[in-house]
Amino acid sequence: MAHTEPVLIAGGGIAGLATSLALAQHGISSRIFEQREIFSEAGAGIQIGPNGVRALSALGVAPLLARHVSVPEEIVVHQGANGRILTRMPLGGWIADRHGAPYWVVHRRDLQTALLERVRATPGIAVETGFAIAEAADHGDHVSVRSSTGTTVRGPVLVGADGIRSRIRTAVAPGTQLRFSGKAASRALLSPDAAASLGDAASMGVWLAPGAHVVHYPIAAGAQIAVVAIVPDDRMTDDWAAPNDWSALAPHLASFAPELRQVLASAPEWRRWALFETAPLANLANGRIALAGDAAHPVFPFLAQGGVMALEDALVLASALANQPEDPAGALKAYEAARRPRVNAIVATSRQNGRIFHLSGPAAFARNLAMATVPAARLMARYDWVYGWQPPA
Ligand SMILES: Cc1cc2nc3c(=O)[nH]c(=O)nc-3n(C[C@H](O)[C@H](O)[C@H](O)COP(=O)(O)OP(=O)(O)OC[C@H]3O[C@@H](n4cnc5c(N)ncnc54)[C@H](O)[C@@H]3O)c2cc1C
């Protein structure tokens, strides 16, 4: 690939912005096409494990984000029905020492702002908003995208970073179907005062009940508490961040301890994400088109790694294109080979976490007993393969 023509990137979310930055580090220019007119993020938090912080450091974004992050000391896991603490899994200094990078929790808006700030300060990246890609084609020696208003743009390579409902996916893995989980994640933001009865505001809390769980953690350098409640919900909306009423959510939280419900009831606003997945894609790349982020591997949020995978994808994809400048299709297949085993394992582990979190009856009793008796550091060490990831040299 002659690196004179910019790589085309569909989507300006975490995957698209990170891919443009990773390409720029190899001297490869890019054009990001984002359908939205303005970049905005619905208020919610995002966890960034050490592998994600390492990726953000490699992209030059970590210093821009550092002042907005919180660094939780531990994950306090509660039995949902009565609040009893089952285990305290170490984060803070323990995980930073173990993996050479901290575990951050941030407001999504702060992550997106830091990525965008870095993108705008980096030569060789053009961001075109209000450009919804309606069609993409691989012509063998180049690719092209056409906008919904009929503008056509060509380039050497196309990266589909257009999220879970990707349009580009059909060019890479045709026939892929989204599967609805029957669950939704409802998210809210609270003040630390409102959440005071949930325990140490500097830690993350997880509450487990049959079929549902609740997670809370500090964001915006401790100024807010992000809450996520994952409950059964058969409303299969396509909306990203649909408003949700407490009156619709509350019945699904009836089995949780009153002190938790009371805090959740005080949230000023709830937004709801219906949770979807796909079977593992047959391909992540086809010819000169590749997928990254949720377009490539939608993942349930039960391991908090979807956005982090998008950051990892970006670095691996850019490195593959830089290593094989004369053979973009070969480079994208190398990217696919490097990423598939890992993203499939992340997707499977996340799904398994969901099953474990939502157990009921004797199985839940056995889970609780194991959590209460196995040393917490050993529980965390099971994720060394997740957090120990290193960017390509
Ligand atoms: C409840 C919940 C909690 C989560 N928590 C975590 C967490 O703690 N940690 C973590 O790492 N991950 C988490 N995730 C996952 C994470 O949010 C996603 O994996 C991540 O946002 C995916 O980024 P992306 O850039 O691939 O896709 P998106 O963020 O969806 O971005 C895609 C972009 O493409 C644009 N686009 C779409 N179609 C077109 C088109 N045709 N033309 C042009 N532009 C287009 C969209 O407007 C959008 O800007 C969570 C997800 C959920 C639902």
Side-chain angles (χ1 to χ4, degrees), residues 9-18 32-41 44-49 52 103-106 108 111-112 128 130-135 146-148 160-168 184-187 204 217 228-230 240 271-276 292-311 313:
I9 299 174
I14 298 173
L17 296 173
I32 300 173
F33 301 100
E34 168 54 49
Q35 67 184 1
R36 291 175 292 168
E37 293 290 347
I38 48 162
F39 287 91
S40 63
E41 268 300 328
I46 184 163
Q47 305 176 41
I48 307 175
Y103 198 109
W104 282 355
V105 284
V106 301
R108 278 171 184 263
L111 172 61
Q112 187 173 62
E128 301 179 37
F131 192 114
I133 295 177
E135 234 175 67
R146 195 174 55 76
S147 76
S148 52
D162 51 344
I164 191 161
R165 290 186 175 74
S166 169
R167 267 186 186 267
I168 310 302
S186 287
R187 302 202 263 197
M204 191 182 305
Y217 51 85
V228 189
I230 287 143
W240 180 246
R271 299 217 160 243
R272 188 173 61 88
W273 282 254
L275 298 180
F276 291 85
D294 278 8
H297 39 72
V299 51
F300 290 145
F302 310 142
L303 187 59
Q305 281 283 319
V308 173
M309 285 302 107
L311 297 171
D313 288 348

Side-chain angles (χ1 to χ4, degrees), residues 241-255:
N244 199 15
D245 280 344
W246 172 246
S247 58
L249 181 59
H252 298 292
L253 296 169
S255 59

Side-chain angles (χ1 to χ4, degrees), residues 2 7 28 57-59 63 76 87 113 147 156 177 207 224 239 248 260 274 276 295 305 321 344 347 373-374 382 388:
V7 165
I28 304 175
S57 299
L59 293 169
V76 183
T87 186
T113 304
S147 76
Q177 299 290 329
W207 300 62
Q224 289 177 303
D239 260 27
L260 177 66
F276 291 85
Q305 281 283 319
L321 283 173
N344 287 349
V347 167
T373 50
V374 175
R382 288 177 310 147

Side-chain angles (χ1 to χ4, degrees), residues 323-350:
N323 288 342
Q324 286 178 258
E326 302 309 327
D327 179 13
L332 296 183
K333 275 291 165 197
Y335 156 74
E336 173 185 286
R339 291 302 290 159
R340 262 185 88 186
R342 179 164 172 83
V343 296
N344 287 349
I346 292 280
V347 167
T349 305
S350 186

Side-chain angles (χ1 to χ4, degrees), residues 133-184:
I133 295 177
E135 234 175 67
D138 185 340
H139 305 277
D141 61 347
H142 73 280
V143 293
S144 65
V145 294
R146 195 174 55 76
S147 76
S148 52
T149 55
T151 308
T152 298
V153 179
R154 53 176 282 163
V157 159
L158 170 63
V159 180
D162 51 344
I164 191 161
R165 290 186 175 74
S166 169
R167 267 186 186 267
I168 310 302
R169 197 186 285 135
T170 51
V172 174
T176 306
Q177 299 290 329
L178 279 183
R179 299 190 298 224
F180 179 48
S181 65
K183 299 209 159 150

